[in-house]
Amino acid sequence: MSDGNYLRHDVPAPYLQKWQKTLDLVAGLYDAAAVLIRRVDGVEIETLATSQTPGNPFPVAERTLWGAGLYCESVMLGRA
């Protein structure tokens, strides 16, 4: 999705720290293997933050090209 609808913004460290706590809490509440916050950066989707759960396969800063079929793509395209 490179049509300019999404622009990259730097996220201040205090926000990332609060989001980390939220991700870890949600993962614990739902016994989820991983909870993520991702963002679009040009033609890539970046994992901005991820829960610190054992066995979580998603590293922070992982990048995937738009169009790879990630669930978050369908959410963004559907604006749901």
Side-chain angles (χ1 to χ4, degrees), residues 4-37:
N5 286 338
Y6 298 95
L7 301 174
R8 180 186 172 100
H9 298 281
D10 289 329
V11 180
Y15 285 106
L16 289 172
Q17 291 167 355
K18 289 179 183 180
W19 291 352
Q20 186 66 60
K21 289 179 185 178
T22 302
L23 292 172
D24 293 340
L25 177 65
V26 170
L29 287 172
Y30 291 97
D31 196 27
V35 180
L36 312 171
I37 296 175

Side-chain angles (χ1 to χ4, degrees), residues 11-66:
V11 180
Y15 285 106
L16 289 172
Q17 291 167 355
K18 289 179 183 180
W19 291 352
Q20 186 66 60
K21 289 179 185 178
T22 302
L23 292 172
D24 293 340
L25 177 65
V26 170
L29 287 172
Y30 291 97
D31 196 27
V35 180
L36 312 171
I37 296 175
R38 289 184 163 160
R39 68 174 169 188
V40 174
D41 186 10
V43 297
E44 296 180 317
I45 298 174
E46 175 188 12
T47 302
L48 182 61
T50 184
S51 58
Q52 296 174 340
T53 47
N56 181 346
F58 302 99
V60 172
E62 178 181 63
R63 293 177 166 274
T64 305
L65 286 175
W66 182 267

